[in-house]
Amino acid sequence: MKSFNYTITDPVGIHARPAGVLVKEAKKYASAVSVVKGDKKADAKKLMVLMGLGVKCGDEVTVEVDGADEDTAVTALEAFFKENL
C-alpha cells in the first residue's frame, strides 16, 4: 500500500464538483483508493461516501492506494490533488 498526506487548499473543500472529479480520477485505476480524515475513511470511487467525510479547506487528509497499479496511481493522484484540491 502507498499513501500520501495532503492539506486541502480549495476554499470550499471536497464538495460536489471536486468530489465528482476526484471520483472520476480514482476510477481510472484498478487499485483501491481511500481518503482518510481523522477516524473516518471513504472509498474515493463513491461520491456520496466521499462527500460524507465533510472535508473543508485546511483539513489534512491521507490518500491510501492499494493494488496492482498503486505506484502509478499514487503519483497521479498526488499530482491531481495538488492541481485540483
mmCIF file with all atom_site columns, all heavy atoms in Angstrom, residues 56-80:
data_model
loop_
_atom_site.group_PDB
_atom_site.id
_atom_site.type_symbol
_atom_site.label_atom_id
_atom_site.label_alt_id
_atom_site.label_comp_id
_atom_site.label_asym_id
_atom_site.label_entity_id
_atom_site.label_seq_id
_atom_site.pdbx_PDB_ins_code
_atom_site.Cartn_x
_atom_site.Cartn_y
_atom_site.Cartn_z
_atom_site.occupancy
_atom_site.B_iso_or_equiv
_atom_site.pdbx_formal_charge
_atom_site.auth_seq_id
_atom_site.auth_comp_id
_atom_site.auth_asym_id
_atom_site.auth_atom_id
_atom_site.pdbx_PDB_model_num
ATOM 1   N N   . LYS A 1 56 ? -12.994 20.065 4.676   1.00 0.00 ? 56 LYS A N   1
ATOM 2   C CA  . LYS A 1 56 ? -13.020 21.517 4.465   1.00 0.00 ? 56 LYS A CA  1
ATOM 3   C C   . LYS A 1 56 ? -11.618 22.028 4.145   1.00 0.00 ? 56 LYS A C   1
ATOM 4   O O   . LYS A 1 56 ? -10.631 21.333 4.350   1.00 0.00 ? 56 LYS A O   1
ATOM 5   C CB  . LYS A 1 56 ? -13.526 22.205 5.734   1.00 0.00 ? 56 LYS A CB  1
ATOM 6   C CG  . LYS A 1 56 ? -14.839 21.661 6.255   1.00 0.00 ? 56 LYS A CG  1
ATOM 7   C CD  . LYS A 1 56 ? -15.877 22.737 6.340   1.00 0.00 ? 56 LYS A CD  1
ATOM 8   C CE  . LYS A 1 56 ? -17.186 22.265 6.902   1.00 0.00 ? 56 LYS A CE  1
ATOM 9   N NZ  . LYS A 1 56 ? -17.924 21.337 6.143   1.00 0.00 ? 56 LYS A NZ  1
ATOM 10  N N   . CYS A 1 57 ? -11.543 23.258 3.699   1.00 0.00 ? 57 CYS A N   1
ATOM 11  C CA  . CYS A 1 57 ? -10.259 23.896 3.424   1.00 0.00 ? 57 CYS A CA  1
ATOM 12  C C   . CYS A 1 57 ? -9.403  23.895 4.695   1.00 0.00 ? 57 CYS A C   1
ATOM 13  O O   . CYS A 1 57 ? -9.887  24.216 5.774   1.00 0.00 ? 57 CYS A O   1
ATOM 14  C CB  . CYS A 1 57 ? -10.477 25.327 2.941   1.00 0.00 ? 57 CYS A CB  1
ATOM 15  S SG  . CYS A 1 57 ? -8.961  26.174 2.481   1.00 0.00 ? 57 CYS A SG  1
ATOM 16  N N   . GLY A 1 58 ? -8.150  23.490 4.566   1.00 0.00 ? 58 GLY A N   1
ATOM 17  C CA  . GLY A 1 58 ? -7.245  23.443 5.702   1.00 0.00 ? 58 GLY A CA  1
ATOM 18  C C   . GLY A 1 58 ? -7.175  22.090 6.379   1.00 0.00 ? 58 GLY A C   1
ATOM 19  O O   . GLY A 1 58 ? -6.281  21.836 7.181   1.00 0.00 ? 58 GLY A O   1
ATOM 20  N N   . ASP A 1 59 ? -8.124  21.194 6.054   1.00 0.00 ? 59 ASP A N   1
ATOM 21  C CA  . ASP A 1 59 ? -8.102  19.845 6.636   1.00 0.00 ? 59 ASP A CA  1
ATOM 22  C C   . ASP A 1 59 ? -7.001  19.017 5.977   1.00 0.00 ? 59 ASP A C   1
ATOM 23  O O   . ASP A 1 59 ? -6.789  19.107 4.761   1.00 0.00 ? 59 ASP A O   1
ATOM 24  C CB  . ASP A 1 59 ? -9.437  19.114 6.404   1.00 0.00 ? 59 ASP A CB  1
ATOM 25  C CG  . ASP A 1 59 ? -10.559 19.641 7.273   1.00 0.00 ? 59 ASP A CG  1
ATOM 26  O OD1 . ASP A 1 59 ? -10.285 20.435 8.192   1.00 0.00 ? 59 ASP A OD1 1
ATOM 27  O OD2 . ASP A 1 59 ? -11.725 19.260 7.025   1.00 0.00 ? 59 ASP A OD2 1
ATOM 28  N N   . GLU A 1 60 ? -6.322  18.199 6.788   1.00 0.00 ? 60 GLU A N   1
ATOM 29  C CA  . GLU A 1 60 ? -5.342  17.279 6.223   1.00 0.00 ? 60 GLU A CA  1
ATOM 30  C C   . GLU A 1 60 ? -5.993  15.916 6.047   1.00 0.00 ? 60 GLU A C   1
ATOM 31  O O   . GLU A 1 60 ? -6.666  15.428 6.951   1.00 0.00 ? 60 GLU A O   1
ATOM 32  C CB  . GLU A 1 60 ? -4.110  17.149 7.117   1.00 0.00 ? 60 GLU A CB  1
ATOM 33  C CG  . GLU A 1 60 ? -3.052  16.260 6.466   1.00 0.00 ? 60 GLU A CG  1
ATOM 34  C CD  . GLU A 1 60 ? -1.765  16.139 7.260   1.00 0.00 ? 60 GLU A CD  1
ATOM 35  O OE1 . GLU A 1 60 ? -1.833  15.662 8.407   1.00 0.00 ? 60 GLU A OE1 1
ATOM 36  O OE2 . GLU A 1 60 ? -0.726  16.523 6.722   1.00 0.00 ? 60 GLU A OE2 1
ATOM 37  N N   . VAL A 1 61 ? -5.799  15.354 4.867   1.00 0.00 ? 61 VAL A N   1
ATOM 38  C CA  . VAL A 1 61 ? -6.316  14.017 4.584   1.00 0.00 ? 61 VAL A CA  1
ATOM 39  C C   . VAL A 1 61 ? -5.140  13.117 4.192   1.00 0.00 ? 61 VAL A C   1
ATOM 40  O O   . VAL A 1 61 ? -4.087  13.597 3.790   1.00 0.00 ? 61 VAL A O   1
ATOM 41  C CB  . VAL A 1 61 ? -7.364  14.021 3.436   1.00 0.00 ? 61 VAL A CB  1
ATOM 42  C CG1 . VAL A 1 61 ? -8.589  14.816 3.833   1.00 0.00 ? 61 VAL A CG1 1
ATOM 43  C CG2 . VAL A 1 61 ? -6.778  14.536 2.141   1.00 0.00 ? 61 VAL A CG2 1
ATOM 44  N N   . THR A 1 62 ? -5.351  11.824 4.343   1.00 0.00 ? 62 THR A N   1
ATOM 45  C CA  . THR A 1 62 ? -4.392  10.837 3.869   1.00 0.00 ? 62 THR A CA  1
ATOM 46  C C   . THR A 1 62 ? -5.063  10.076 2.741   1.00 0.00 ? 62 THR A C   1
ATOM 47  O O   . THR A 1 62 ? -6.203  9.632  2.883   1.00 0.00 ? 62 THR A O   1
ATOM 48  C CB  . THR A 1 62 ? -3.994  9.864  4.995   1.00 0.00 ? 62 THR A CB  1
ATOM 49  O OG1 . THR A 1 62 ? -3.437  10.618 6.077   1.00 0.00 ? 62 THR A OG1 1
ATOM 50  C CG2 . THR A 1 62 ? -2.973  8.846  4.503   1.00 0.00 ? 62 THR A CG2 1
ATOM 51  N N   . VAL A 1 63 ? -4.374  9.962  1.627   1.00 0.00 ? 63 VAL A N   1
ATOM 52  C CA  . VAL A 1 63 ? -4.886  9.200  0.496   1.00 0.00 ? 63 VAL A CA  1
ATOM 53  C C   . VAL A 1 63 ? -4.116  7.884  0.459   1.00 0.00 ? 63 VAL A C   1
ATOM 54  O O   . VAL A 1 63 ? -2.887  7.883  0.423   1.00 0.00 ? 63 VAL A O   1
ATOM 55  C CB  . VAL A 1 63 ? -4.716  9.978  -0.829  1.00 0.00 ? 63 VAL A CB  1
ATOM 56  C CG1 . VAL A 1 63 ? -5.234  9.159  -2.007  1.00 0.00 ? 63 VAL A CG1 1
ATOM 57  C CG2 . VAL A 1 63 ? -5.438  11.313 -0.746  1.00 0.00 ? 63 VAL A CG2 1
ATOM 58  N N   . GLU A 1 64 ? -4.863  6.775  0.510   1.00 0.00 ? 64 GLU A N   1
ATOM 59  C CA  . GLU A 1 64 ? -4.258  5.441  0.507   1.00 0.00 ? 64 GLU A CA  1
ATOM 60  C C   . GLU A 1 64 ? -4.617  4.737  -0.795  1.00 0.00 ? 64 GLU A C   1
ATOM 61  O O   . GLU A 1 64 ? -5.777  4.752  -1.209  1.00 0.00 ? 64 GLU A O   1
ATOM 62  C CB  . GLU A 1 64 ? -4.783  4.620  1.684   1.00 0.00 ? 64 GLU A CB  1
ATOM 63  C CG  . GLU A 1 64 ? -4.439  5.204  3.037   1.00 0.00 ? 64 GLU A CG  1
ATOM 64  C CD  . GLU A 1 64 ? -5.056  4.430  4.196   1.00 0.00 ? 64 GLU A CD  1
ATOM 65  O OE1 . GLU A 1 64 ? -5.975  3.614  3.969   1.00 0.00 ? 64 GLU A OE1 1
ATOM 66  O OE2 . GLU A 1 64 ? -4.617  4.657  5.329   1.00 0.00 ? 64 GLU A OE2 1
ATOM 67  N N   . VAL A 1 65 ? -3.608  4.146  -1.422  1.00 0.00 ? 65 VAL A N   1
ATOM 68  C CA  . VAL A 1 65 ? -3.799  3.419  -2.677  1.00 0.00 ? 65 VAL A CA  1
ATOM 69  C C   . VAL A 1 65 ? -3.223  2.018  -2.494  1.00 0.00 ? 65 VAL A C   1
ATOM 70  O O   . VAL A 1 65 ? -2.070  1.869  -2.103  1.00 0.00 ? 65 VAL A O   1
ATOM 71  C CB  . VAL A 1 65 ? -3.092  4.143  -3.848  1.00 0.00 ? 65 VAL A CB  1
ATOM 72  C CG1 . VAL A 1 65 ? -3.385  3.441  -5.157  1.00 0.00 ? 65 VAL A CG1 1
ATOM 73  C CG2 . VAL A 1 65 ? -3.504  5.610  -3.918  1.00 0.00 ? 65 VAL A CG2 1
ATOM 74  N N   . ASP A 1 66 ? -4.049  1.011  -2.784  1.00 0.00 ? 66 ASP A N   1
ATOM 75  C CA  . ASP A 1 66 ? -3.617  -0.366 -2.578  1.00 0.00 ? 66 ASP A CA  1
ATOM 76  C C   . ASP A 1 66 ? -4.076  -1.229 -3.740  1.00 0.00 ? 66 ASP A C   1
ATOM 77  O O   . ASP A 1 66 ? -5.269  -1.351 -3.989  1.00 0.00 ? 66 ASP A O   1
ATOM 78  C CB  . ASP A 1 66 ? -4.199  -0.898 -1.258  1.00 0.00 ? 66 ASP A CB  1
ATOM 79  C CG  . ASP A 1 66 ? -3.625  -2.247 -0.871  1.00 0.00 ? 66 ASP A CG  1
ATOM 80  O OD1 . ASP A 1 66 ? -2.524  -2.597 -1.339  1.00 0.00 ? 66 ASP A OD1 1
ATOM 81  O OD2 . ASP A 1 66 ? -4.287  -2.957 -0.090  1.00 0.00 ? 66 ASP A OD2 1
ATOM 82  N N   . GLY A 1 67 ? -3.113  -1.804 -4.470  1.00 0.00 ? 67 GLY A N   1
ATOM 83  C CA  . GLY A 1 67 ? -3.472  -2.682 -5.574  1.00 0.00 ? 67 GLY A CA  1
ATOM 84  C C   . GLY A 1 67 ? -2.372  -2.795 -6.606  1.00 0.00 ? 67 GLY A C   1
ATOM 85  O O   . GLY A 1 67 ? -1.254  -2.314 -6.413  1.00 0.00 ? 67 GLY A O   1
ATOM 86  N N   . ALA A 1 68 ? -2.725  -3.405 -7.727  1.00 0.00 ? 68 ALA A N   1
ATOM 87  C CA  . ALA A 1 68 ? -1.761  -3.729 -8.772  1.00 0.00 ? 68 ALA A CA  1
ATOM 88  C C   . ALA A 1 68 ? -1.061  -2.510 -9.369  1.00 0.00 ? 68 ALA A C   1
ATOM 89  O O   . ALA A 1 68 ? 0.128   -2.562 -9.671  1.00 0.00 ? 68 ALA A O   1
ATOM 90  C CB  . ALA A 1 68 ? -2.463  -4.516 -9.875  1.00 0.00 ? 68 ALA A CB  1
ATOM 91  N N   . ASP A 1 69 ? -1.791  -1.406 -9.544  1.00 0.00 ? 69 ASP A N   1
ATOM 92  C CA  . ASP A 1 69 ? -1.199  -0.224 -10.174 1.00 0.00 ? 69 ASP A CA  1
ATOM 93  C C   . ASP A 1 69 ? -0.979  0.913  -9.166  1.00 0.00 ? 69 ASP A C   1
ATOM 94  O O   . ASP A 1 69 ? -0.996  2.088  -9.516  1.00 0.00 ? 69 ASP A O   1
ATOM 95  C CB  . ASP A 1 69 ? -2.056  0.249  -11.350 1.00 0.00 ? 69 ASP A CB  1
ATOM 96  C CG  . ASP A 1 69 ? -3.496  0.567  -10.958 1.00 0.00 ? 69 ASP A CG  1
ATOM 97  O OD1 . ASP A 1 69 ? -3.869  0.343  -9.776  1.00 0.00 ? 69 ASP A OD1 1
ATOM 98  O OD2 . ASP A 1 69 ? -4.261  1.022  -11.824 1.00 0.00 ? 69 ASP A OD2 1
ATOM 99  N N   . GLU A 1 70 ? -0.716  0.562  -7.910  1.00 0.00 ? 70 GLU A N   1
ATOM 100 C CA  . GLU A 1 70 ? -0.611  1.571  -6.853  1.00 0.00 ? 70 GLU A CA  1
ATOM 101 C C   . GLU A 1 70 ? 0.516   2.576  -7.083  1.00 0.00 ? 70 GLU A C   1
ATOM 102 O O   . GLU A 1 70 ? 0.378   3.753  -6.744  1.00 0.00 ? 70 GLU A O   1
ATOM 103 C CB  . GLU A 1 70 ? -0.485  0.919  -5.479  1.00 0.00 ? 70 GLU A CB  1
ATOM 104 C CG  . GLU A 1 70 ? 0.760   0.127  -5.253  1.00 0.00 ? 70 GLU A CG  1
ATOM 105 C CD  . GLU A 1 70 ? 0.764   -0.639 -3.936  1.00 0.00 ? 70 GLU A CD  1
ATOM 106 O OE1 . GLU A 1 70 ? -0.301  -1.038 -3.430  1.00 0.00 ? 70 GLU A OE1 1
ATOM 107 O OE2 . GLU A 1 70 ? 1.866   -0.836 -3.416  1.00 0.00 ? 70 GLU A OE2 1
ATOM 108 N N   . ASP A 1 71 ? 1.638   2.146  -7.659  1.00 0.00 ? 71 ASP A N   1
ATOM 109 C CA  . ASP A 1 71 ? 2.754   3.075  -7.887  1.00 0.00 ? 71 ASP A CA  1
ATOM 110 C C   . ASP A 1 71 ? 2.351   4.190  -8.852  1.00 0.00 ? 71 ASP A C   1
ATOM 111 O O   . ASP A 1 71 ? 2.574   5.369  -8.593  1.00 0.00 ? 71 ASP A O   1
ATOM 112 C CB  . ASP A 1 71 ? 3.984   2.331  -8.420  1.00 0.00 ? 71 ASP A CB  1
ATOM 113 C CG  . ASP A 1 71 ? 4.594   1.398  -7.377  1.00 0.00 ? 71 ASP A CG  1
ATOM 114 O OD1 . ASP A 1 71 ? 4.556   1.750  -6.181  1.00 0.00 ? 71 ASP A OD1 1
ATOM 115 O OD2 . ASP A 1 71 ? 5.088   0.331  -7.756  1.00 0.00 ? 71 ASP A OD2 1
ATOM 116 N N   . THR A 1 72 ? 1.746   3.797  -9.957  1.00 0.00 ? 72 THR A N   1
ATOM 117 C CA  . THR A 1 72 ? 1.279   4.774  -10.948 1.00 0.00 ? 72 THR A CA  1
ATOM 118 C C   . THR A 1 72 ? 0.167   5.634  -10.366 1.00 0.00 ? 72 THR A C   1
ATOM 119 O O   . THR A 1 72 ? 0.168   6.854  -10.511 1.00 0.00 ? 72 THR A O   1
ATOM 120 C CB  . THR A 1 72 ? 0.741   4.032  -12.197 1.00 0.00 ? 72 THR A CB  1
ATOM 121 O OG1 . THR A 1 72 ? 1.757   3.165  -12.674 1.00 0.00 ? 72 THR A OG1 1
ATOM 122 C CG2 . THR A 1 72 ? 0.340   4.999  -13.284 1.00 0.00 ? 72 THR A CG2 1
ATOM 123 N N   . ALA A 1 73 ? -0.780  4.996  -9.707  1.00 0.00 ? 73 ALA A N   1
ATOM 124 C CA  . ALA A 1 73 ? -1.952  5.693  -9.180  1.00 0.00 ? 73 ALA A CA  1
ATOM 125 C C   . ALA A 1 73 ? -1.586  6.715  -8.112  1.00 0.00 ? 73 ALA A C   1
ATOM 126 O O   . ALA A 1 73 ? -2.099  7.838  -8.124  1.00 0.00 ? 73 ALA A O   1
ATOM 127 C CB  . ALA A 1 73 ? -2.958  4.688  -8.627  1.00 0.00 ? 73 ALA A CB  1
ATOM 128 N N   . VAL A 1 74 ? -0.698  6.368  -7.182  1.00 0.00 ? 74 VAL A N   1
ATOM 129 C CA  . VAL A 1 74 ? -0.382  7.295  -6.093  1.00 0.00 ? 74 VAL A CA  1
ATOM 130 C C   . VAL A 1 74 ? 0.315   8.542  -6.634  1.00 0.00 ? 74 VAL A C   1
ATOM 131 O O   . VAL A 1 74 ? 0.042   9.654  -6.188  1.00 0.00 ? 74 VAL A O   1
ATOM 132 C CB  . VAL A 1 74 ? 0.421   6.607  -4.957  1.00 0.00 ? 74 VAL A CB  1
ATOM 133 C CG1 . VAL A 1 74 ? 1.894   6.447  -5.296  1.00 0.00 ? 74 VAL A CG1 1
ATOM 134 C CG2 . VAL A 1 74 ? 0.264   7.353  -3.642  1.00 0.00 ? 74 VAL A CG2 1
ATOM 135 N N   . THR A 1 75 ? 1.177   8.377  -7.621  1.00 0.00 ? 75 THR A N   1
ATOM 136 C CA  . THR A 1 75 ? 1.863   9.516  -8.228  1.00 0.00 ? 75 THR A CA  1
ATOM 137 C C   . THR A 1 75 ? 0.864   10.423 -8.945  1.00 0.00 ? 75 THR A C   1
ATOM 138 O O   . THR A 1 75 ? 0.874   11.640 -8.774  1.00 0.00 ? 75 THR A O   1
ATOM 139 C CB  . THR A 1 75 ? 2.939   9.028  -9.219  1.00 0.00 ? 75 THR A CB  1
ATOM 140 O OG1 . THR A 1 75 ? 3.839   8.173  -8.523  1.00 0.00 ? 75 THR A OG1 1
ATOM 141 C CG2 . THR A 1 75 ? 3.706   10.182 -9.819  1.00 0.00 ? 75 THR A CG2 1
ATOM 142 N N   . ALA A 1 76 ? -0.010  9.824  -9.732  1.00 0.00 ? 76 ALA A N   1
ATOM 143 C CA  . ALA A 1 76 ? -1.006  10.593 -10.485 1.00 0.00 ? 76 ALA A CA  1
ATOM 144 C C   . ALA A 1 76 ? -2.006  11.280 -9.555  1.00 0.00 ? 76 ALA A C   1
ATOM 145 O O   . ALA A 1 76 ? -2.379  12.438 -9.775  1.00 0.00 ? 76 ALA A O   1
ATOM 146 C CB  . ALA A 1 76 ? -1.737  9.681  -11.467 1.00 0.00 ? 76 ALA A CB  1
ATOM 147 N N   . LEU A 1 77 ? -2.448  10.585 -8.518  1.00 0.00 ? 77 LEU A N   1
ATOM 148 C CA  . LEU A 1 77 ? -3.426  11.169 -7.601  1.00 0.00 ? 77 LEU A CA  1
ATOM 149 C C   . LEU A 1 77 ? -2.823  12.305 -6.779  1.00 0.00 ? 77 LEU A C   1
ATOM 150 O O   . LEU A 1 77 ? -3.497  13.301 -6.507  1.00 0.00 ? 77 LEU A O   1
ATOM 151 C CB  . LEU A 1 77 ? -4.017  10.091 -6.690  1.00 0.00 ? 77 LEU A CB  1
ATOM 152 C CG  . LEU A 1 77 ? -4.998  9.143  -7.386  1.00 0.00 ? 77 LEU A CG  1
ATOM 153 C CD1 . LEU A 1 77 ? -5.271  7.930  -6.530  1.00 0.00 ? 77 LEU A CD1 1
ATOM 154 C CD2 . LEU A 1 77 ? -6.292  9.864  -7.725  1.00 0.00 ? 77 LEU A CD2 1
ATOM 155 N N   . GLU A 1 78 ? -1.552  12.171 -6.399  1.00 0.00 ? 78 GLU A N   1
ATOM 156 C CA  . GLU A 1 78 ? -0.907  13.261 -5.656  1.00 0.00 ? 78 GLU A CA  1
ATOM 157 C C   . GLU A 1 78 ? -0.845  14.514 -6.528  1.00 0.00 ? 78 GLU A C   1
ATOM 158 O O   . GLU A 1 78 ? -1.153  15.615 -6.076  1.00 0.00 ? 78 GLU A O   1
ATOM 159 C CB  . GLU A 1 78 ? 0.486   12.841 -5.187  1.00 0.00 ? 78 GLU A CB  1
ATOM 160 C CG  . GLU A 1 78 ? 1.084   13.824 -4.208  1.00 0.00 ? 78 GLU A CG  1
ATOM 161 C CD  . GLU A 1 78 ? 2.279   13.270 -3.451  1.00 0.00 ? 78 GLU A CD  1
ATOM 162 O OE1 . GLU A 1 78 ? 2.779   12.179 -3.774  1.00 0.00 ? 78 GLU A OE1 1
ATOM 163 O OE2 . GLU A 1 78 ? 2.705   13.960 -2.505  1.00 0.00 ? 78 GLU A OE2 1
ATOM 164 N N   . ALA A 1 79 ? -0.503  14.346 -7.793  1.00 0.00 ? 79 ALA A N   1
ATOM 165 C CA  . ALA A 1 79 ? -0.481  15.484 -8.733  1.00 0.00 ? 79 ALA A CA  1
ATOM 166 C C   . ALA A 1 79 ? -1.885  16.045 -8.906  1.00 0.00 ? 79 ALA A C   1
ATOM 167 O O   . ALA A 1 79 ? -2.077  17.274 -8.931  1.00 0.00 ? 79 ALA A O   1
ATOM 168 C CB  . ALA A 1 79 ? 0.091   15.041 -10.078 1.00 0.00 ? 79 ALA A CB  1
ATOM 169 N N   . PHE A 1 80 ? -2.886  15.168 -8.988  1.00 0.00 ? 80 PHE A N   1
ATOM 170 C CA  . PHE A 1 80 ? -4.281  15.600 -9.119  1.00 0.00 ? 80 PHE A CA  1
ATOM 171 C C   . PHE A 1 80 ? -4.713  16.448 -7.922  1.00 0.00 ? 80 PHE A C   1
ATOM 172 O O   . PHE A 1 80 ? -5.328  17.507 -8.075  1.00 0.00 ? 80 PHE A O   1
ATOM 173 C CB  . PHE A 1 80 ? -5.195  14.366 -9.259  1.00 0.00 ? 80 PHE A CB  1
ATOM 174 C CG  . PHE A 1 80 ? -6.656  14.714 -9.227  1.00 0.00 ? 80 PHE A CG  1
ATOM 175 C CD1 . PHE A 1 80 ? -7.300  15.126 -10.371 1.00 0.00 ? 80 PHE A CD1 1
ATOM 176 C CD2 . PHE A 1 80 ? -7.373  14.679 -8.029  1.00 0.00 ? 80 PHE A CD2 1
ATOM 177 C CE1 . PHE A 1 80 ? -8.649  15.468 -10.333 1.00 0.00 ? 80 PHE A CE1 1
ATOM 178 C CE2 . PHE A 1 80 ? -8.711  15.023 -7.991  1.00 0.00 ? 80 PHE A CE2 1
ATOM 179 C CZ  . PHE A 1 80 ? -9.346  15.427 -9.152  1.00 0.00 ? 80 PHE A CZ  1
#
